[in-house]
Amino acid sequence: MVVKNIAVLFSGSGSNLQAILEKIHNKIFNGVKIKVALLICNNPNAKGIKRAKKFGLETIVINHRDYDSREEFDQALVDEIKKHDIDLSVLAGFMRILTPVFTDNIKAINLHPSILPLFKGANAINESYNSDMKIGGVSVHWVSSQLDSGEIIAQKSFARKHKSLKEWEEKIHKIEHKLLPKTIIEILAKGK
Ligand code: GRF
């Protein structure tokens, strides 16, 4: 049995981490078993840490506040990931800007709550909602040294019939929880 190990990096609520754990962790796709082998969080108070515990998984906390520079923090992430036999790292709500120390050394994908290349950065949900776009959406892309700019792997859009910001946000998360696990399967088990 081929086993592919993933690392999941997160910062907060961890609902996407939970979707990964529910939908693909220790499951077999196309003869490939996908295993969440490493969890890293930069925020010791993140709700995601508790969610992971419910699945019997411990999270390694690497707090960015303990490091003097982005590069030193990134090196700590790289060192941890390299200790494990990781095939793919998944940024699932990991709210740190990464330097080439990370991006040149780690094969990673990122989840972003907009139709890239529109609305890069940390306020994508609000900015897309407040725009006059008739659609919103979600992207998964390869991580590169430019924020939210690596090659797009998957996107899913929805029509603007969601009136409130809350509905807009809920729709985005609902799509994210399907699109990210599906994309991981496609990369690791279908060779896309
Ligand atoms: C998601 O909307 C993701 O696109 C963004 O941060 C959010 C993380 O949510 N980068 P959660 O922590 O997975 O619940």
Side-chain angles (χ1 to χ4, degrees):
M1 163 83 55
V2 180
V3 178
K4 295 270 173 102
N5 290 327
I6 64 172
V8 182
L9 287 76
F10 63 97
S11 297
S13 159
S15 68
N16 285 284
L17 164 64
Q18 179 157 338
I20 291 168
L21 292 173
E22 282 171 359
K23 292 178 180 171
I24 64 174
H25 177 51
N26 280 340
K27 295 195 165 67
I28 299 163
F29 304 90
N30 237 5
V32 176
K33 183 173 182 174
I34 297 179
K35 189 174 172 205
V36 176
L38 175 64
L39 293 176
I40 296 178
C41 183
N42 63 304
N43 166 13
N45 302 314
K47 187 174 164 194
I49 297 174
K50 290 200 186 91
R51 293 191 200 248
K53 278 214 173 92
K54 290 195 180 143
F55 289 80
L57 295 175
E58 288 302 320
T59 300
I60 293 178
V61 175
I62 301 179
N63 190 339
H64 59 281
R65 293 176 199 277
D66 294 341
Y67 297 85
D68 291 333
S69 67
R70 287 192 191 278
E71 285 78 9
E72 285 171 65
F73 170 67
D74 285 3
Q75 190 60 56
L77 299 176
V78 171
D79 290 347
E80 191 58 49
I81 293 168
K82 296 272 185 196
K83 274 192 226 161
H84 305 260
D85 184 22
I86 299 298
D87 295 289
L88 180 71
S89 293
V90 178
L91 310 185
F94 189 63
M95 305 307 281
R96 301 300 303 162
I97 293 174
L98 295 162
T99 70
V101 171
F102 183 96
T103 59
D104 288 353
N105 289 296
I106 300 295
K107 182 184 172 194
I109 60 173
N110 181 45
L111 174 68
H112 188 77
S114 77
I115 295 290
L116 289 171
L118 297 170
F119 312 114
K120 293 175 184 175
N123 297 315
I125 294 180
N126 280 296
E127 286 175 12
S128 59
Y129 177 75
N130 289 321
S131 77
D132 60 3
M133 295 266 303
K134 298 287 182 254
I135 56 168
V138 171
S139 304
V140 182
H141 64 93
W142 290 107
V143 173
S144 72
S145 58
Q146 300 299 310
L147 180 68
D148 298 332
S149 296
E151 187 191 336
I152 294 163
I153 309 164
Q155 287 183 314
K156 177 107 178 117
S157 64
F158 61 91
R160 185 187 281 275
K161 55 184 179 204
H162 304 85
K163 298 274 187 288
S164 68
L165 175 60
K166 189 165 172 281
E167 284 172 306
W168 182 265
E169 196 163 0
E170 280 170 1
K171 183 70 183 168
I172 285 174
H173 292 315
K174 201 169 166 206
I175 292 173
E176 287 183 329
H177 297 161
K178 285 193 187 141
L179 191 67
L180 185 58
K182 181 169 174 265
T183 306
I184 296 169
I185 295 167
E186 283 176 356
I187 293 170
L188 293 178
K190 298 186 181 164
K192 285 198 179 161

